[in-house]
Amino acid sequence: MKRKPANLPALCLVALLLAPAAALARSSDRNQPMDAGANSSNCSISNDSGPCVLIGDVKITQGTLIINAAKADIKRAGGEPSFVTLTGSQATLKQELDDGSPFNGRANKIEYDMPKDTIVLTGNAYVDKNGDTIKSERIVYNSKTGQIESGGTGGRVNIRMLPKSKTAAPAKGGG
């Protein structure tokens, strides 16, 4: 008989606590041009829905979104980027959220589904939203709702939440 992990209810509670506090990705970034650079590329220009693969020192920017990877496989639909797969020893992404706070993520593989507004980080995944962090084998971030789900096969989820109070209480003792 397979047992549920004892910490599953606690993790669900943490996910619920994080959801309302999560800010949304900078909504105006989607309306900005996407600029990409790499050591080499193989892109179809005769077909608006053709693939585009960038290899070596890949850097993609769109508004406040900054992505770095060893390889980017960009799928297009109707001439628009629709799905990007980023790989590398650690592909990274940074973005300013609508509330002005920073969002950083890194993983061995990052999949960005633009129509669904989801980012899936797998392989030594790490997300930092203004000091609150999640480490897991797999993290799914919905940039529209701010919802973050995490977990993986056989691994643990590690979460750190900073106190929201800007002033820390004075330390006791020492006298």
Side-chain angles (χ1 to χ4, degrees), residues 43-52 74-80:
C43 298
S44 172
I45 59 171
S46 63
N47 180 352
D48 279 350
S49 297
C52 184
I74 303 168
K75 306 284 189 229
R76 296 177 290 170
E80 298 284 332

mmCIF file of all heavy atoms in Angstrom, residues 43-52 74-80:
data_model
loop_
_atom_site.group_PDB
_atom_site.id
_atom_site.type_symbol
_atom_site.label_atom_id
_atom_site.label_comp_id
_atom_site.label_asym_id
_atom_site.label_seq_id
_atom_site.Cartn_x
_atom_site.Cartn_y
_atom_site.Cartn_z
ATOM 1 N N CYS A 43 16.437 29.134 -38.142
ATOM 2 C CA CYS A 43 15.058 29.608 -38.071
ATOM 3 C C CYS A 43 14.423 29.612 -39.457
ATOM 4 O O CYS A 43 15.055 30.003 -40.436
ATOM 5 C CB CYS A 43 15.004 31.020 -37.502
ATOM 6 S SG CYS A 43 15.617 31.150 -35.821
ATOM 7 N N SER A 44 13.165 29.214 -39.506
ATOM 8 C CA SER A 44 12.411 29.250 -40.749
ATOM 9 C C SER A 44 11.840 30.650 -40.937
ATOM 10 O O SER A 44 11.137 31.162 -40.064
ATOM 11 C CB SER A 44 11.269 28.226 -40.692
ATOM 12 O OG SER A 44 10.426 28.378 -41.799
ATOM 13 N N ILE A 45 12.166 31.271 -42.072
ATOM 14 C CA ILE A 45 11.605 32.603 -42.342
ATOM 15 C C ILE A 45 10.513 32.542 -43.401
ATOM 16 O O ILE A 45 9.776 33.496 -43.585
ATOM 17 C CB ILE A 45 12.695 33.608 -42.771
ATOM 18 C CG1 ILE A 45 13.422 33.128 -44.026
ATOM 19 C CG2 ILE A 45 13.653 33.874 -41.635
ATOM 20 C CD1 ILE A 45 14.343 34.165 -44.627
ATOM 21 N N SER A 46 10.368 31.394 -44.077
ATOM 22 C CA SER A 46 9.340 31.263 -45.112
ATOM 23 C C SER A 46 8.003 30.826 -44.535
ATOM 24 O O SER A 46 6.993 30.871 -45.216
ATOM 25 C CB SER A 46 9.798 30.275 -46.194
ATOM 26 O OG SER A 46 9.957 28.985 -45.640
ATOM 27 N N ASN A 47 7.996 30.406 -43.284
ATOM 28 C CA ASN A 47 6.786 29.898 -42.663
ATOM 29 C C ASN A 47 6.623 30.566 -41.299
ATOM 30 O O ASN A 47 7.451 30.375 -40.412
ATOM 31 C CB ASN A 47 6.910 28.369 -42.513
ATOM 32 C CG ASN A 47 5.701 27.737 -41.889
ATOM 33 O OD1 ASN A 47 4.796 28.399 -41.406
ATOM 34 N ND2 ASN A 47 5.683 26.414 -41.894
ATOM 35 N N ASP A 48 5.538 31.349 -41.123
ATOM 36 C CA ASP A 48 5.304 32.055 -39.854
ATOM 37 C C ASP A 48 5.122 31.118 -38.667
ATOM 38 O O ASP A 48 5.201 31.541 -37.527
ATOM 39 C CB ASP A 48 4.073 32.957 -39.964
ATOM 40 C CG ASP A 48 4.363 34.270 -40.646
ATOM 41 O OD1 ASP A 48 5.549 34.577 -40.878
ATOM 42 O OD2 ASP A 48 3.402 34.993 -40.949
ATOM 43 N N SER A 49 4.850 29.842 -38.952
ATOM 44 C CA SER A 49 4.667 28.883 -37.866
ATOM 45 C C SER A 49 5.858 27.942 -37.741
ATOM 46 O O SER A 49 5.818 27.000 -36.966
ATOM 47 C CB SER A 49 3.388 28.076 -38.085
ATOM 48 O OG SER A 49 2.272 28.940 -38.046
ATOM 49 N N GLY A 50 6.915 28.198 -38.496
ATOM 50 C CA GLY A 50 8.091 27.340 -38.468
ATOM 51 C C GLY A 50 8.891 27.502 -37.200
ATOM 52 O O GLY A 50 8.785 28.505 -36.493
ATOM 53 N N PRO A 51 9.728 26.508 -36.894
ATOM 54 C CA PRO A 51 10.542 26.544 -35.680
ATOM 55 C C PRO A 51 11.705 27.525 -35.808
ATOM 56 O O PRO A 51 12.088 27.919 -36.903
ATOM 57 C CB PRO A 51 11.059 25.114 -35.563
ATOM 58 C CG PRO A 51 11.104 24.629 -36.979
ATOM 59 C CD PRO A 51 9.958 25.299 -37.677
ATOM 60 N N CYS A 52 12.243 27.877 -34.668
ATOM 61 C CA CYS A 52 13.437 28.714 -34.607
ATOM 62 C C CYS A 52 14.262 28.206 -33.432
ATOM 63 O O CYS A 52 13.798 28.221 -32.295
ATOM 64 C CB CYS A 52 13.054 30.177 -34.404
ATOM 65 S SG CYS A 52 14.468 31.296 -34.432
ATOM 66 N N ILE A 74 12.193 27.833 -30.128
ATOM 67 C CA ILE A 74 11.029 28.713 -30.135
ATOM 68 C C ILE A 74 10.027 28.219 -31.165
ATOM 69 O O ILE A 74 10.343 28.089 -32.343
ATOM 70 C CB ILE A 74 11.444 30.173 -30.457
ATOM 71 C CG1 ILE A 74 12.490 30.652 -29.456
ATOM 72 C CG2 ILE A 74 10.222 31.081 -30.483
ATOM 73 C CD1 ILE A 74 13.170 31.952 -29.845
ATOM 74 N N LYS A 75 8.818 27.918 -30.716
ATOM 75 C CA LYS A 75 7.726 27.526 -31.613
ATOM 76 C C LYS A 75 6.859 28.766 -31.836
ATOM 77 O O LYS A 75 6.637 29.551 -30.919
ATOM 78 C CB LYS A 75 6.874 26.416 -30.998
ATOM 79 C CG LYS A 75 7.644 25.199 -30.558
ATOM 80 C CD LYS A 75 8.055 24.348 -31.723
ATOM 81 C CE LYS A 75 8.634 23.031 -31.228
ATOM 82 N NZ LYS A 75 9.867 22.651 -31.796
ATOM 83 N N ARG A 76 6.383 28.922 -33.066
ATOM 84 C CA ARG A 76 5.546 30.071 -33.386
ATOM 85 C C ARG A 76 4.189 29.605 -33.897
ATOM 86 O O ARG A 76 4.067 28.536 -34.477
ATOM 87 C CB ARG A 76 6.231 30.929 -34.448
ATOM 88 C CG ARG A 76 7.536 31.528 -33.951
ATOM 89 C CD ARG A 76 8.243 32.318 -35.007
ATOM 90 N NE ARG A 76 8.760 31.403 -36.037
ATOM 91 C CZ ARG A 76 9.261 31.802 -37.195
ATOM 92 N NH1 ARG A 76 9.304 33.076 -37.488
ATOM 93 N NH2 ARG A 76 9.714 30.929 -38.065
ATOM 94 N N ALA A 77 3.190 30.429 -33.674
ATOM 95 C CA ALA A 77 1.837 30.192 -34.185
ATOM 96 C C ALA A 77 1.343 31.520 -34.751
ATOM 97 O O ALA A 77 1.306 32.515 -34.032
ATOM 98 C CB ALA A 77 0.916 29.697 -33.082
ATOM 99 N N GLY A 78 1.054 31.552 -36.038
ATOM 100 C CA GLY A 78 0.587 32.793 -36.668
ATOM 101 C C GLY A 78 1.638 33.886 -36.626
ATOM 102 O O GLY A 78 1.305 35.059 -36.538
ATOM 103 N N GLY A 79 2.912 33.502 -36.647
ATOM 104 C CA GLY A 79 4.000 34.474 -36.626
ATOM 105 C C GLY A 79 4.405 34.942 -35.248
ATOM 106 O O GLY A 79 5.408 35.628 -35.089
ATOM 107 N N GLU A 80 3.664 34.555 -34.230
ATOM 108 C CA GLU A 80 3.954 34.968 -32.857
ATOM 109 C C GLU A 80 4.647 33.841 -32.097
ATOM 110 O O GLU A 80 4.266 32.680 -32.245
ATOM 111 C CB GLU A 80 2.657 35.314 -32.110
ATOM 112 C CG GLU A 80 1.884 36.465 -32.681
ATOM 113 C CD GLU A 80 2.503 37.797 -32.338
ATOM 114 O OE1 GLU A 80 3.164 37.905 -31.288
ATOM 115 O OE2 GLU A 80 2.336 38.730 -33.127
#
